[in-house]
Amino acid sequence: MLPFFTDPYPNELLYSAIGRYHFYSGNISFNETLTELFGDRILLPSIGFGSNMECLVKILGNKYSVEKLILENTIFPFFSPFITKEKQMKAYEDMNGNGRGLHGRLGIVSSKIGVKSEVFFCSDCVEDDIERYGEPYIHREHQLPGINYCPHHENILMKYPIDYKTYSRHGYIRFDKRELDIFVPKSIEVDSNEFKEIEVKLSQMAYKLFSIPIGSIALDDVFKRYRTLLRQDNWIVNNTNVRSKDFLKAFNSKFPKGFLEKFNSYSKGNQVNYWLQAITIDPNRKEVHPFRHLLFLYFFDQDIDTLIKLKEDVGPFGNGPWPCLNVAASHYKELVVTDLEVAKRKSTGALVGKFKCLCGFIYTRTGPEKDESEKWIRDRVNAYGEEWESKFDELRNMNLSSEEISGILKIAESTVRQKLLIKEKSTERTQSYRETLLLWKDENPQYGRKEFRSAHRKVLIYLYHNDREWLEANLPMKRENLLISHEEKIKKYRSIILKVINKNSDVSRSFLWEKYDVACKYLYENDLEWYNLNFPEVIKYTPKTSFVDWESRDIEYHDKVKEIYPQLLKEEKPIRITRGLFSKRLNIFILSTKREMDKLPKTDALLNEITETIREFQVRRCCLKIEEMIEREEKVGFEKLREACAVNLRDFKIIKPTLEDYINRKYVNQRT
């Protein structure tokens, strides 16, 4: 157990606390500090997260816990709500271990937002820290990816002045008051960022994520709340589907021009926005960076506080059971209805719920519900059921007026009159209405059902309820069937479809069925051979196996590595050429791993060719020193060479024959 440790300040990164410990402990080498804290002298620091947490806590003692350090002194709470509970546990294990799988698990690798590889600060926060604690430190809210402003002072964040390219890969940065330019008069500071208002709002939203306990909310919970927002603003149709194209256009128009492009989060209206689709449709299809979740909340004018309070989506009509609105039933207004069907109204696109009670009463209501009180409202009644009909007969036998019955049963007076008409069944009335229908058909052979319903509505209603079988057999044909023959229909519908296809050669079957469903259905059922010959080919959907264009990314990375390689060879102080070096200089995390390199064959082949083993680097470094000594006309002494290049005796014996050969060739070239 250590005799002391620099306790983290509020919202200080663990990385920063370790940097301060290294300074106050008096250690010269970072390897000593790593050995003291982790028992591992070659551990690579992670600015935002951390690794080997369990080992660190054991060395520090009972005052600390892994949970507390991760919650209060890393940026993991920024990511936690937007991954599944399973990935939360896996990420926890990563930080307890070597941390290698963490970036991929959090969706950092697949996004173009990534994490900050430099250290940032707010000038006002530095002044406050010095005044309160006597020294500045690295705030975790300033290290969040995509966040460029301090949530407290609304200042733009500044990069700590240090050469990150040459800084020790095992080192921990500690803020030095002498290096921080915090005494610049405020009048000189000019912030010309046109997006400042939005970015400040996003930074404040991001800071609030630190107050959410890890594990209290996960991606599935967030997704259900997102569905509530989508449903409230009518972005959901057919109960589950999202109007993706319209939503993308609206989303893009919410932000100023150029803002989404700045954060690699823009897609044109005719393109597929995979991260936005994942948020709205299927949260498990792709990891989405937390910054993009903040953009999604900003679109709906929401904040982290309102997101937590938001109720999870339970469908357009809430969770069942629902109330029975049958006034005549003993269970009136009791929550007994469990059978619900949801359909889309073709004319308006609105969702309509059909509620069916066991008593036979069926009613509908238009959704989605925006208030709890709406569940007690019905739009229309589809069926009344035996219990209601018995009550109606009882009231009718009491010789009550239609107005009185209407008030008791809570239905329109016109409905009561229709019901009374239907109930007054008699042989004479049935025969009379039959004759009325037959006579009308004889007198109006050119008309169909619609005209008969307009002329004799009462007759139609009575026969429908009391003599339905006869009515169906004797009703006039529908007007379109009456006036247009089968051959004429086929000719007409063929003409409609061909006209659309000729006008637009790229038209699809789904478009034709959506816009001309009557014509398509008739041709499919009655003219299938012509349908198959003339309709567009069925477009087979081939699912994409990857959201990343690895081929273009391979070319991009290959060119970047090839461009920077000569610069690395010309460094004044020789540096070993490794994958990690390219990863650090180019800020491309994947180059230092082997996991995805099979998808980058050109880049991988180039790296295999130009990266050095330790022995190859020792030879190159010694050769450069030999050239320097020969140029100064010094005698090349092997012991002096070994000490100058810091090569241990055992390794030097191995590479010595190669160096002797190189020296001989150099002298031969000089003579010639």
Side-chain angles (χ1 to χ4, degrees):
M1 181 174 170
L2 286 179
F4 91 99
F5 184 66
T6 43
D7 294 335
Y9 294 123
N11 280 312
E12 180 180 16
L13 283 172
L14 179 61
Y15 172 93
S16 172
I18 294 174
R20 291 191 299 108
Y21 169 80
H22 173 76
F23 176 78
Y24 289 121
S25 67
N27 290 336
I28 297 174
S29 168
F30 283 113
N31 298 115
E32 295 178 56
T33 299
L34 292 171
T35 303
E36 288 176 1
L37 295 178
F38 299 99
D40 184 351
R41 67 191 308 273
I42 61 170
L43 183 75
L44 294 178
S46 169
I47 297 176
F49 298 100
S51 59
N52 293 68
M53 290 281 202
E54 196 168 2
C55 178
L56 175 65
V57 167
K58 284 180 182 177
I59 291 174
L60 294 181
N62 297 331
K63 184 177 178 182
Y64 300 90
S65 70
V66 174
E67 294 83 0
K68 191 170 187 294
L69 287 175
I70 291 176
L71 177 63
E72 298 180 2
N73 304 109
T74 72
I75 64 171
F76 179 64
F78 178 66
F79 293 83
S80 176
F82 308 114
I83 57 176
T84 63
K85 286 189 179 294
E86 181 184 358
K87 286 185 178 178
Q88 287 176 356
M89 295 300 297
K90 291 287 185 183
Y92 186 91
E93 292 172 9
D94 289 336
M95 285 184 281
N96 266 336
N98 56 29
R100 287 179 184 170
L102 188 62
H103 285 70
R105 209 178 305 285
L106 299 180
I108 296 171
V109 176
S110 60
S111 78
K112 292 186 178 180
I113 298 173
V115 292
K116 291 178 177 176
S117 55
E118 298 93 3
V119 175
F120 291 83
F121 68 94
C122 161
S123 57
D124 284 345
C125 283
V126 168
E127 288 183 340
D128 292 346
D129 294 341
I130 293 173
E131 184 178 345
R132 188 174 302 172
Y133 305 109
E135 62 180 333
Y137 61 89
I138 304 173
H139 288 244
R140 59 178 178 162
E141 60 267 33
H142 300 158
Q143 290 303 122
L144 297 179
I147 301 303
N148 298 322
Y149 282 84
C150 173
H152 316 297
H153 302 102
E154 301 184 6
N155 294 333
I156 193 165
L157 299 175
M158 295 181 283
K159 189 189 298 185
Y160 184 65
I162 191 173
D163 188 351
Y164 294 92
K165 292 182 179 179
T166 59
Y167 195 76
S168 171
R169 62 202 296 256
H170 297 287
Y172 288 83
I173 294 169
R174 168 188 166 270
F175 280 165
D176 187 336
K177 287 186 281 189
R178 294 169 298 181
E179 296 289 339
L180 293 168
D181 186 18
I182 61 172
F183 302 107
V184 178
K186 300 299 178 187
S187 59
I188 298 177
E189 295 180 11
V190 178
D191 186 359
S192 60
N193 185 2
E194 58 182 312
F195 308 133
K196 178 177 179 179
E197 184 179 347
I198 299 178
E199 291 198 52
V200 168
K201 173 65 176 174
L202 293 172
S203 75
Q204 292 167 347
M205 291 167 64
Y207 179 69
K208 290 180 181 179
L209 289 169
F210 290 148
S211 62
I212 302 176
I214 296 172
S216 63
I217 187 172
L219 181 59
D220 291 343
D221 310 309
V222 171
F223 177 70
K224 290 174 184 175
R225 289 168 168 82
Y226 286 170
R227 298 291 287 185
T228 298
L229 295 174
L230 290 164
R231 196 179 296 283
Q232 285 177 352
D233 283 10
N234 293 319
W235 291 111
I236 294 180
V237 295
N238 291 343
N239 195 21
T240 56
N241 297 332
V242 177
R243 295 189 287 120
S244 299
K245 290 183 179 178
D246 294 336
F247 183 74
L248 175 59
K249 290 178 183 177
F251 183 84
N252 287 341
S253 64
K254 173 75 174 182
F255 298 90
K257 187 176 181 181
F259 178 83
L260 293 174
E261 291 90 333
K262 178 181 178 181
F263 296 99
N264 295 306
S265 298
Y266 177 77
S267 292
K268 292 181 181 178
N270 58 350
Q271 294 177 338
V272 177
N273 188 316
Y274 291 109
W275 71 262
L276 201 56
Q277 275 196 354
I279 283 182
T280 56
I281 299 173
D282 182 5
N284 296 311
R285 85 188 267 185
K286 176 180 173 67
E287 290 86 5
V288 178
H289 198 282
F291 183 78
R292 288 172 170 165
H293 282 272
L294 297 182
L295 295 178
F296 185 82
L297 290 171
Y298 183 86
F299 171 80
F300 284 102
D301 298 319
Q302 298 291 316
D303 203 340
I304 302 302
D305 298 331
T306 57
L307 175 69
I308 298 301
K309 294 175 184 176
L310 202 64
K311 291 183 179 179
E312 295 181 355
D313 179 51
V314 289
F317 301 100
N319 279 325
W322 299 271
C324 176
L325 301 182
N326 181 2
V327 178
S330 57
H331 53 264
Y332 174 55
K333 285 194 174 182
E334 292 182 15
L335 302 176
V336 294
V337 177
T338 57
D339 189 352
L340 168 64
E341 292 178 7
V342 180
K344 178 183 175 183
R345 186 174 287 143
K346 281 190 175 182
S347 58
T348 62
L351 296 176
V352 178
K354 183 184 284 187
F355 301 82
K356 302 177 182 179
C357 184
L358 292 174
C359 69
F361 191 82
I362 303 174
Y363 66 93
T364 60
R365 181 168 68 253
T366 304
E369 290 178 0
K370 293 188 177 180
D371 190 82
E372 183 73 13
S373 61
E374 291 184 15
K375 70 164 51 179
W376 309 101
I377 299 172
R378 57 176 169 79
D379 292 344
R380 58 176 296 179
V381 178
N382 294 50
Y384 292 96
E386 291 183 9
E387 199 167 346
W388 191 94
E389 296 289 355
S390 298
K391 182 67 175 179
F392 184 86
D393 290 340
E394 180 185 326
L395 297 174
R396 181 170 65 91
N397 294 333
M398 293 169 62
N399 293 322
L400 296 177
S401 67
S402 58
E403 184 180 357
E404 291 172 318
I405 296 174
S406 168
I408 295 171
L409 295 180
K410 301 186 185 303
I411 59 174
E413 192 174 345
S414 58
T415 305
V416 174
R417 288 196 292 268
Q418 287 182 5
K419 297 287 289 183
L420 290 173
L421 174 66
I422 294 168
K423 293 290 183 180
E424 294 173 6
K425 181 179 179 181
S426 68
T427 307
E428 293 79 12
R429 174 170 283 185
T430 302
Q431 186 60 37
S432 172
Y433 284 170
R434 281 184 176 185
E435 291 173 1
T436 301
L437 171 57
L438 295 172
L439 180 62
W440 186 89
K441 281 177 65 178
D442 291 339
E443 293 175 350
N444 304 281
Q446 74 279 22
Y447 293 143
R449 295 183 181 186
K450 186 176 181 180
E451 288 76 15
F452 176 72
R453 183 170 63 246
S454 299
H456 297 284
R457 183 176 178 80
K458 289 183 180 179
V459 173
L460 184 64
I461 292 173
Y462 177 86
L463 291 175
Y464 179 80
H465 287 281
N466 296 292
D467 200 10
R468 188 176 302 181
E469 188 176 346
W470 183 91
L471 177 68
E472 292 293 341
N474 291 276
L475 264 177
M477 294 176 67
K478 291 182 179 178
R479 182 172 177 80
E480 57 268 27
N481 293 339
L482 188 70
L483 298 176
I484 305 175
S485 68
H486 172 70
E487 290 74 17
E488 288 174 327
K489 267 192 174 185
I490 287 180
K491 185 178 178 181
K492 174 187 174 183
Y493 291 150
R494 280 182 178 183
S495 174
I496 291 171
I497 298 300
L498 287 174
K499 186 176 180 181
V500 177
I501 292 174
N502 292 334
K503 190 175 180 181
N504 184 3
S505 58
D506 296 330
V507 71
S508 64
R509 285 196 182 193
S510 58
F511 175 82
L512 292 173
W513 273 90
E514 183 181 350
K515 297 293 183 182
Y516 307 98
D517 58 325
V518 174
C520 292
K521 185 177 180 182
Y522 194 87
L523 291 171
Y524 181 80
E525 292 177 350
N526 300 283
D527 197 11
L528 185 58
E529 185 177 350
W530 185 92
Y531 176 93
N532 289 330
L533 285 172
N534 292 276
F535 268 65
E537 291 286 334
V538 176
I539 300 173
K540 293 183 178 179
Y541 172 71
T542 305
K544 292 186 178 179
T545 57
S546 173
F547 298 103
V548 178
D549 185 353
W550 289 105
E551 187 175 348
S552 62
R553 185 169 287 191
D554 188 20
I555 296 169
E556 177 191 346
Y557 290 173
H558 175 275
D559 293 346
K560 285 184 176 180
V561 170
K562 192 173 182 180
E563 181 182 351
I564 198 175
Y565 177 58
Q567 300 172 24
L568 298 177
L569 291 176
K570 292 177 183 177
E571 290 278 350
E572 185 177 348
K573 183 180 178 182
I575 309 171
R576 182 184 163 205
I577 308 299
T578 64
R579 290 172 180 263
L581 178 63
F582 285 111
S583 175
K584 185 176 181 181
R585 290 294 177 92
L586 297 173
N587 198 22
I588 303 173
F589 175 77
I590 196 174
L591 297 182
S592 63
T593 71
K594 282 283 187 180
R595 191 172 63 252
E596 301 283 0
M597 289 305 294
D598 59 320
K599 298 174 182 175
L600 304 169
K602 288 186 68 177
T603 308
D604 192 37
L606 179 60
L607 289 173
N608 286 335
E609 180 184 342
I610 64 178
T611 52
E612 299 174 313
T613 63
I614 294 174
R615 190 141 295 144
E616 288 170 340
F617 172 59
Q618 289 172 339
V619 170
R620 181 168 67 88
R621 185 167 55 179
C622 288
C623 289
L624 290 171
K625 191 66 179 176
I626 289 169
E627 288 181 4
E628 185 182 318
M629 295 169 78
I630 291 174
E631 191 175 330
R632 292 203 303 261
E633 298 183 350
E634 293 181 18
K635 182 181 179 181
V636 179
F638 284 115
E639 186 59 30
K640 184 179 179 181
L641 176 65
R642 186 182 70 79
E643 289 178 357
C645 295
V647 182
N648 65 53
L649 186 59
R650 185 182 60 186
D651 289 343
F652 193 79
K653 286 180 180 179
I654 296 172
I655 66 173
K656 187 176 179 181
T658 306
L659 299 178
E660 288 175 338
D661 183 58
Y662 181 77
I663 292 170
N664 291 333
R665 281 189 282 110
K666 291 294 290 185
Y667 279 124
V668 169
N669 291 337
Q670 266 191 342
R671 293 192 194 103
T672 56

